[in-house]
Amino acid sequence: MKKTLATSILALGTGFGPVQAQDFLDAKQGGAMIVTYKDDVSTLDPAIGYDWQNWSMIKSLFDGLMDYEPGTTELKKDLAEDYTISDDGMTYTFTLRQGVKFHNGREMTAEDVKYSLDRVTNPATQSPGAGFFGSIEGYDAMAAGEADSLSGVTVIDPYTVEIKLSRPDATFLHVMAINFSSIVPKEVVEQYGEDFGKNPVGTGAFYLENWTLGQSLTFARNTDYWNEGLPKLDKITFEIGLEPIVALLRLQQGQADIPGDGIPPAKFLEVTQDPAFKDLVIEGGQLHTGYITMNVNMAPFDNVKVRQAVNMAINKDRAVRIINGRAVPANQPLPPTMPGYAPDYEGYAYDPEAAKVLLAEAGFPDGFETELYVFNTDPNPRIAQSFQQDLAAIGIRAEIRSLAQANVIAAGGEPDQAPMIWSGGMAWIADFPDPSNFYGPILGCDGAVQGGWNWSWYCNEDLDAAANAADAMTDPAEAEAREAAWRDIYLKIMEDAPWVPVFNEQRFTMRSARLGGPDAIFVDPVHVPVNYDFVYSTDVQ
């Protein structure tokens, strides 16, 4: 997801050097930065927000027990001052930092940790990230609505919390580092209810100073932040309602610093070849796959032959050309640099005639009508139009529903609203560098729930069991076997064809010339164009 000011979870393969601690110390204190977006933010609730736009904003407002060393995939302690793991790998005991305060001035304690984990796994919260916590003891009872608290999470004392697992989980500490594990204050959540996402209170480096819906958001520096010396910026303003081309013009005129929606494809060659601006363009690799989902519970996509026919109908090379060749065609869910990728797998060949044969075998010799949902920021609608032409060539008449990002996500999270979705600007980018992350939230049964991100509503219980078995391989000696297990899972998914994997994209964005700071601070394309560590440590010239 997606998918700004993002966490540095995956600098993997970017080609940029890691950020050093001294870089933070050397950067000057003060200054403000302006980031632009076309659409407003849907929510700043860490249990709910899961798109490329709000993910990094949330990261700036909230903290979790764990985090990553800036610019690397190396885990570090965050709100946890220390932790221990039992010999069998099933019990984690976290000791919290003392004196950490929420933005409302109250000290954070172990009770807040338990409350936050209970909240994100409670079905009433409708968190798209609930499935990440499936290995915690008591999760199944929570998911079934049979409990209102995780039995495996116990408060030992005000600064100690114990988390017991029901099965070994090689990804557990990574899960503790993602936004869904952010710590929230119960009294504020209960005060605002569903409006907590518009009135967020965390322990993060910034607090929400102002939000004028449809116009702007302002984040101000948390002067009581527990991590001394951070952040460096005093203020971040997010300007809303600017088309990407207008945002680029504002940056070129010195009126904005980061175009949050990236470089418009129509301007890409012009910008990258302009001596005045080409050095402001930053490219980064990312563990990304853009895909088309087909809702396997909605006819005719409940027929595997129909889904396989759609896979054969899509001209992926043309989609890559639309974005100036900034991607490579994909043939499986995992990107090529992710462990578990199958390099010898050929996938579904582009073959419209064979696709027509499969449609006829499925009982649709004359095709059918359907809808294709798409995020309305360029180039996504143009890519969707190319898919529309591909589908028309085999008799499938797809009406394009071009909507704001939040509306597309909402439609995908309902069981019967979106027969097809082009993930586009909301395409999946790994939350952490492990093959399991491309499964649970977007292809596993835990993600096929209301409000979830498994927009194909694909649920294969046998593969879920295989996924759990793979994640139980926690011994480093089993790494190769674990990778092979995940490879087998994804190839079996491709047989069922709930997706059309389209391409693996590189990320390009810009920053204004006045944003200084160390060269090692880079724009992170993991979920969004700007790394939150960059925001923490940047000084404005």
Side-chain angles (χ1 to χ4, degrees), residues 306 308-314 350-357 359-360 364-368 388-397:
V306 170
Q308 291 171 340
V310 172
N311 268 271
M312 295 179 181
I314 299 301
Y350 172 56
D351 191 341
E353 294 306 314
K356 290 179 183 178
V357 172
L359 274 187
F364 300 96
D366 300 319
F368 55 86
Q388 185 183 47
Q389 295 173 24
D390 295 337
L391 295 172
I394 66 170
I396 299 177
R397 299 168 294 282

Side-chain angles (χ1 to χ4, degrees), residues 46-254:
I48 305 296
Y50 205 23
D51 62 56
W52 62 269
Q53 183 178 2
N54 62 23
W55 185 264
S56 56
M57 294 183 181
I58 289 169
K59 184 67 178 177
S60 297
L61 300 173
F62 295 88
D63 296 314
L65 296 178
M66 302 294 294
D67 199 357
Y68 291 86
E69 292 290 348
T72 77
T73 58
E74 183 181 346
L75 283 161
K76 70 172 184 176
K77 292 167 283 191
D78 199 37
L79 293 181
E81 187 173 59
D82 202 0
Y83 65 88
T84 60
I85 307 173
S86 62
D87 291 341
D88 62 2
M90 300 285 280
T91 302
Y92 292 72
T93 303
F94 294 91
T95 303
L96 306 183
R97 299 182 188 276
Q98 298 186 26
V100 174
K101 294 181 180 180
F102 288 110
H103 298 149
N104 64 357
R106 179 174 70 76
E107 186 182 17
M108 179 210 67
T109 71
E111 291 287 352
D112 297 303
V113 175
K114 176 166 179 56
Y115 170 75
S116 299
L117 296 177
D118 285 345
R119 177 175 181 257
V120 74
T121 54
N122 190 324
T125 304
Q126 294 188 19
S127 172
F132 281 121
F133 304 90
S135 63
I136 297 179
E137 185 179 285
Y139 172 82
D140 290 342
M142 286 286 283
E146 299 169 356
D148 57 10
S149 179
L150 289 164
S151 60
V153 181
T154 302
V155 173
I156 304 300
D157 61 47
Y159 302 108
T160 309
V161 62
E162 178 187 85
I163 302 177
K164 292 184 178 180
L165 306 186
S166 59
R167 53 180 168 81
D169 184 357
T171 70
F172 181 70
L173 286 177
H174 285 287
V175 171
M176 291 295 101
I178 62 177
N179 280 0
F180 295 118
S181 299
S182 298
I183 310 307
V184 300
K186 179 179 180 179
E187 71 275 15
V188 181
V189 174
E190 292 184 343
Q191 176 185 354
Y192 289 105
E194 293 183 358
D195 289 332
F196 178 68
K198 293 289 190 291
N199 300 274
V201 171
T203 64
F206 293 88
Y207 67 91
L208 177 64
E209 182 178 68
N210 181 67
W211 186 348
T212 303
L213 295 180
Q215 297 183 34
S216 66
L217 298 89
T218 302
F219 288 6
R221 177 174 177 257
N222 177 7
T223 56
D224 288 330
Y225 192 46
W226 61 268
N227 197 343
E228 187 176 355
L230 297 180
K232 295 299 182 180
L233 285 178
D234 287 339
K235 186 168 293 189
I236 309 170
T237 299
F238 302 92
E239 295 186 354
I240 307 300
L242 280 76
E243 292 288 342
I245 287 181
V246 176
L248 177 62
L249 181 62
R250 284 178 60 82
L251 182 145
Q252 291 172 325
Q253 295 176 342

Side-chain angles (χ1 to χ4, degrees), residues 7 43 83 103 188 213 232 275 280 296 328 370 413 423 435 451 486 533:
T7 157
T43 181
Y83 65 88
H103 298 149
V188 181
L213 295 180
K232 295 299 182 180
L280 303 178
V296 301
V328 294
T370 189
S423 64
W486 275 114
D533 294 314

